[in-house]
Amino acid sequence: MKLSQFKFKLSEEQIALYPHTAEHVITRKDGTQSTFHVTRREESRLMVLHKKSERIDMYKTDETGEPLKDAEGRPQYIQFRDIVDYFGDGDTFIFNDTKVFPARLYGTKEKTDAKIEVFLLRELNEEMRLWDVLVEPARKIRIGNKLFFDDTSTMVAEVIDNTTSRGRTLRFLYDSPHDEFKQNLYALGESPLPRYIIDRRESHHATPEDMDDFQTVFAKNEGAVTAPATGLHFSRELLKRMEIYGINFAYITLHCGLGNFHDIEVEDLTKHKMDSEQMKISAEACKVVNEAKRAGNHICAVGTSVVKATETAVGTDGMLKEFDGWTNKFIFPPYDFGLADCMVANFYHPLSTLLMSTAAFGGYDMVMECYNRAAADGYKFGCFGDSLLILDD
């Protein structure tokens, strides 16, 4: 397929800069009122695509199929927490339990005091304190430069190599046990919100709350520099409801990188190369998933990162295999999926690899119809945006 086939109009107002919140109004005895907002991840909108019947659901309905109305007579949108209504006993959800770390640092360059941003990608050598990073502005950062990250000059790094146009290898000059070094390094960092969020916020910085907001409640294995966004909608309360419904959970790990946000520079998608991401699928996860599949239950992949990981590790028999390594799989239509029969994913930006992966799963024409409806109806897009559930019925 061609890159231009994934273009659609998206207004700036529909790019979610914060998680979904619910507004609550308290009326006191004296008649005065206070309004406050509470984060409600699971109350964002959920569109449902029935792949085989090519039906798209946006509203809650009664027994006759008529949309339910709110107190003001408006149709009620399906919410993410309603996802439990589409699954039952024995069905299995696969989650990505990667954990985001505070990867974005701000510092100064020696002598000139020029302001620089350092984005930590991964630790290369624990003993030598070597890190693979991105720097901005890159033209000012050369081999041999020292970078300072706090007022006391305690956290200092030296540039020892150029890796890409913006990539550098840093050696942190910090003499302490590794755990102490990492704790102090992370204390200086911010949540690695995507650039399209940071650049649109008034402060151009993440807040302390973002480390919780941009982290799934089941995050466990550290290594991601962006969150597996669809997993952000699952609250502890929703997971408990799913357990009560008899739904099983399997956890795999894929450390989400920045490659998903890189612009595609070729029209022919077969020529685009994805960055590699580290992943691991355990024997326990395989057991849960494969038992459910043999029993004929639904397997729901939560997010494009899970689809990428499971399609990397699925066998020719349609069963999930153990895996410990790297993947650079790029999924776009047409693609024959081997494991999951259901998928839930956020609504993503035009021309993004994440949209392409979703379109491959749900079918290009129907997914693009869903995106056009979402754009026309005020759905939110991006990591904090609304979601699309794709069912195989």
Side-chain angles (χ1 to χ4, degrees):
M1 294 197 79
K2 304 299 183 183
L3 174 65
S4 55
Q5 292 177 263
F6 294 91
K7 189 174 183 179
F8 63 93
K9 291 184 178 180
L10 179 65
S11 69
E12 285 280 324
E13 293 74 23
Q14 286 179 256
I15 299 173
L17 303 184
Y18 297 93
H20 178 83
T21 58
E23 184 178 285
H24 291 270
V25 179
I26 295 179
T27 303
R28 302 183 182 86
K29 291 182 179 179
D30 61 4
T32 59
Q33 293 183 331
S34 292
T35 302
F36 62 97
H37 295 82
V38 179
T39 298
R40 290 283 188 265
R41 304 177 183 217
E42 72 278 16
E43 292 181 5
S44 58
R45 294 192 204 178
L46 179 70
M47 191 182 293
V48 182
L49 168 59
H50 302 266
K51 189 162 55 173
K52 289 180 180 175
S53 61
E54 297 187 346
R55 190 175 86 248
I56 298 172
D57 296 333
M58 299 170 62
Y59 306 110
K60 299 179 183 180
T61 58
D62 59 20
E63 294 81 1
T64 66
E66 289 297 312
L68 296 173
K69 304 291 181 66
D70 62 18
E72 298 178 1
R74 297 171 302 193
Q76 296 181 30
Y77 287 98
I78 300 170
Q79 294 182 317
F80 192 88
R81 64 183 177 183
D82 298 320
I83 197 170
V84 297
D85 296 333
Y86 297 90
F87 297 91
D89 188 32
D91 292 337
T92 295
F93 275 56
I94 309 177
F95 296 100
N96 183 1
D97 66 3
T98 187
K99 187 175 182 179
V100 176
F101 63 92
R104 183 173 280 117
L105 303 174
Y106 296 94
T108 57
K109 181 183 172 185
E110 65 172 342
K111 298 179 182 177
T112 66
D113 285 336
K115 303 295 183 182
I116 52 97
E117 176 186 312
V118 170
F119 195 97
L120 304 173
L121 296 177
R122 63 190 180 97
E123 191 171 31
L124 300 173
N125 186 295
E126 180 178 309
E127 183 178 352
M128 297 181 65
R129 308 285 194 266
L130 297 182
W131 279 77
D132 184 19
V133 307
L134 298 176
V135 295
E136 189 71 38
R139 67 183 183 280
K140 295 183 178 181
I141 309 302
R142 298 181 174 86
I143 293 174
N145 288 158
K146 284 189 171 60
L147 309 177
F148 298 85
F149 296 97
D150 57 8
D151 296 335
T152 62
S153 298
T154 303
M155 188 65 68
V156 183
E158 181 181 10
V159 182
I160 65 170
D161 196 13
N162 297 330
T163 53
T164 63
S165 59
R166 292 178 55 220
R168 303 289 186 271
T169 300
L170 298 187
R171 180 174 66 227
F172 283 90
L173 310 176
Y174 197 96
D175 188 16
S176 71
H178 183 261
D179 288 347
E180 179 185 333
F181 157 71
K182 211 166 185 180
Q183 181 179 355
N184 290 330
L185 178 66
Y186 285 179
L188 297 170
E190 289 184 359
S191 174
L193 294 176
R195 281 249 71 98
Y196 70 82
I197 292 179
I198 285 290
D199 291 345
R200 287 176 172 85
R201 286 190 179 181
E202 187 175 349
S203 67
H204 299 294
H205 281 277
T207 66
E209 292 76 23
D210 284 318
M211 275 311 300
D212 289 329
D213 290 340
F214 201 53
Q215 192 84 269
T216 64
V217 297
F218 44 80
K220 180 181 178 182
N221 297 309
E222 182 183 281
V225 294
T226 188
T230 308
L232 297 176
H233 296 283
F234 290 86
S235 64
R236 290 180 176 83
E237 293 77 14
L238 177 55
L239 292 173
K240 180 55 68 176
R241 285 183 61 208
M242 294 170 68
E243 283 184 13
I244 294 171
Y245 273 63
I247 297 171
N248 298 318
F249 306 147
Y251 295 94
I252 61 94
T253 303
L254 183 140
H255 294 315
C256 305
L258 296 183
N260 297 306
F261 300 108
H262 291 167
D263 291 337
I264 298 179
E265 298 178 347
V266 291
E267 175 68 3
D268 181 356
L269 296 182
T270 62
K271 293 181 169 56
H272 177 67
K273 304 299 181 185
M274 292 288 290
D275 291 350
S276 292
E277 295 167 304
Q278 192 173 12
M279 57 169 279
K280 184 174 183 178
I281 296 179
S282 66
E284 180 182 0
C286 293
K287 181 175 183 292
V288 173
V289 172
N290 293 337
E291 285 182 357
K293 189 159 187 180
R294 291 189 187 99
N297 296 113
H298 292 299
I299 307 296
C300 184
V302 178
T304 57
S305 67
V306 169
V307 166
K308 181 188 297 186
T310 54
E311 288 302 306
T312 297
V314 68
T316 54
D317 58 355
M319 296 293 147
L320 191 61
K321 311 298 182 184
E322 292 182 62
F323 191 97
D324 190 354
W326 297 74
T327 181
N328 63 350
K329 181 174 281 293
F330 176 31
I331 298 176
F332 59 93
Y335 184 89
D336 185 18
F337 287 85
L339 186 74
D341 65 318
C342 306
M343 175 188 184
V344 58
N346 279 23
F347 284 101
Y348 287 107
H349 289 67
L351 308 177
S352 69
T353 61
L354 307 173
L355 164 56
M356 294 167 190
S357 180
T358 308
F361 195 94
Y364 171 79
D365 290 335
M366 290 307 301
V367 167
M368 293 309 294
E369 174 63 21
C370 289
Y371 266 67
N372 288 329
R373 292 193 190 187
D377 210 81
Y379 281 65
K380 293 291 187 178
F381 285 68
C383 291
F384 289 140
D386 296 313
S387 302
L388 175 65
L389 172 63
I390 303 172
L391 300 174
D392 189 33
D393 62 5

